[in-house]
């Protein structure tokens, strides 16, 4: 869960934030770049998902590159020598504190066999298997299909960048999708064609739910800014 910055920040406005939000200094830098440059590529060096809903306030930030390390390989991506093919491994929510996990978060402690509280805490994931991207994607599906108890749900406002999102310097086309059953196994095949002018690679994923047929995609069907 997003850790509070109350004990880790100097300014009061930053104390009220979590560590996945921009602090006041970072906000000043972002605003300066947006006000003084027309085409800004933002490099986020982090191993955790951040709240990126503020990007819509800065139209001159054209892209975000997410990386845990700054290496020569990253420079090749920026220069165009290497075509990126990575995808996000987490959901970048507009407000992480609005997630079900955050609503069920508390100071739950483990107790030993003597009934004494230990130093270990846990989170009550009342949403069951629908943790992280599964919650956002499943609720979106329920909303579109008019099933379950999705309620008044706006996926685009909840999710800035979905699980599996990524850009490339080229375009790809997926065709000839088929599934064959061999006993207890299923084999899925698809033809992936680079339709652009730049060499590149892409990731293909195949998912199936208990109630729906197998679907395939290279990039999420919902478009995001």
């Amino acid at each position: 869960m997003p850790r509070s910055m109350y004990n880790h920040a100097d300014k009061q406005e930053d104390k009220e934030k979590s560590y996945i939000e921009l602090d006041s200094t970072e906000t000043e830098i972002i605003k300066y770049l947006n006000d003084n440059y027309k085409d800004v590529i933002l490099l986020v060096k982090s191993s955790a998902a951040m709240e990126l809903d503020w990007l819509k306030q800065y139209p001159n930030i054209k892209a975000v590159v997410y990386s845990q390390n700054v290496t020569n390989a990253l420079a090749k991506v920026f220069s165009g020598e290497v075509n990126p093919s990575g995808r996000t491994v987490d959901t970048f929510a507009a407000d992480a504190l609005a997630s079900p996990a955050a609503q069920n978060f508390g100071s739950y402690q483990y107790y030993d066999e003597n009934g004494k509280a230990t130093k270990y805490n846990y989170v009550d994931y009342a949403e069951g298997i629908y943790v992280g991207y599964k919650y956002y994607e499943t609720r979106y599906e329920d909303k579109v299909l008019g099933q379950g108890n999705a309620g008044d749900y706006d996926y685009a406002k909840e999710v800035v960048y979905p699980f599996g999102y990524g850009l490339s310097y080229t375009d790809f086309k997926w065709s000839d999708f088929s599934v064959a059953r061999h006993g207890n196994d299923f084999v899925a095949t698809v033809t992936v064609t680079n339709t652009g002018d730049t060499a590149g690679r892409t990731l293909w994923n195949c998912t199936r739910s208990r109630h729906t047929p197998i679907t395939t995609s290279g990039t999420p069907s919902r478009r995001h800014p």
Side-chain angles (χ1 to χ4, degrees):
M1 294 306 302
R3 184 177 66 246
S4 170
M5 293 301 294
Y6 186 81
N7 295 320
H8 306 278
D10 296 324
K11 298 181 179 179
Q12 182 59 39
E13 61 180 299
D14 295 331
K15 290 178 179 289
E16 299 173 359
K17 298 180 179 180
S18 71
Y19 78 100
I20 63 174
E21 297 177 84
L22 289 181
D23 62 25
S24 56
T25 300
E26 292 167 332
T27 300
E28 289 179 8
I29 295 174
I30 294 297
K31 185 178 184 304
Y32 175 84
L33 293 174
N34 180 77
D35 293 345
N36 292 277
Y37 299 92
K38 293 183 178 180
D39 296 297
V40 179
I41 299 177
L42 183 63
L43 171 62
V44 178
K45 182 180 181 298
S46 174
S47 59
M50 291 181 61
E51 290 185 4
L52 297 177
D53 59 316
W54 45 266
L55 280 172
K56 59 180 177 290
Q57 303 174 32
Y58 305 102
N60 286 330
I61 297 180
K62 306 301 183 182
V64 177
V65 176
Y66 217 81
S67 178
Q68 295 185 26
N69 298 295
V70 179
T71 64
N72 291 336
L74 190 60
K76 293 180 180 180
V77 170
F78 274 96
S79 68
E81 181 180 345
V82 172
N83 193 348
S85 59
R87 305 291 183 198
T88 56
V89 296
D90 206 342
T91 297
F92 288 74
D95 182 7
L97 293 179
S99 68
Q103 303 306 310
N104 295 310
F105 184 78
S107 299
Y108 304 112
Q109 286 184 288
Y110 285 107
Y111 289 80
D112 61 22
E113 64 276 10
N114 299 317
K116 294 183 178 181
T118 69
K119 63 179 180 179
Y120 301 105
N121 297 76
Y122 66 92
V123 175
D124 179 20
Y125 288 102
E127 64 270 37
I129 66 171
Y130 300 106
V131 178
Y133 81 93
K134 295 179 183 178
Y135 159 72
Y136 296 102
E137 301 301 318
T138 302
R139 190 172 180 184
Y140 172 82
E141 180 182 28
D142 288 346
K143 176 68 174 181
V144 172
L145 298 180
Q147 62 188 23
N149 58 345
D152 185 15
Y153 182 67
D154 190 333
Y155 183 92
K157 290 183 178 180
E158 294 281 347
V159 177
V160 181
Y161 294 109
F163 172 84
Y165 185 87
L167 299 177
S168 172
Y169 292 142
T170 189
D171 297 305
F172 295 91
K173 176 183 178 181
W174 287 264
S175 60
D176 305 323
F177 175 69
S178 65
V179 179
R181 182 170 184 173
H182 302 281
N184 294 325
D185 299 325
F186 291 86
V187 177
T189 59
V190 66
T191 300
V192 181
T193 305
N194 185 342
T195 59
D197 299 325
T198 304
R201 297 179 180 181
T202 188
L203 299 177
W204 177 77
N205 68 75
C206 179
T207 59
R208 182 186 185 279
S209 70
R210 184 174 60 180
H211 303 294
T212 60
I214 293 178
T215 59
T216 179
S217 67
T219 56
S221 58
R222 289 172 293 287
R223 302 298 295 173
H224 296 265

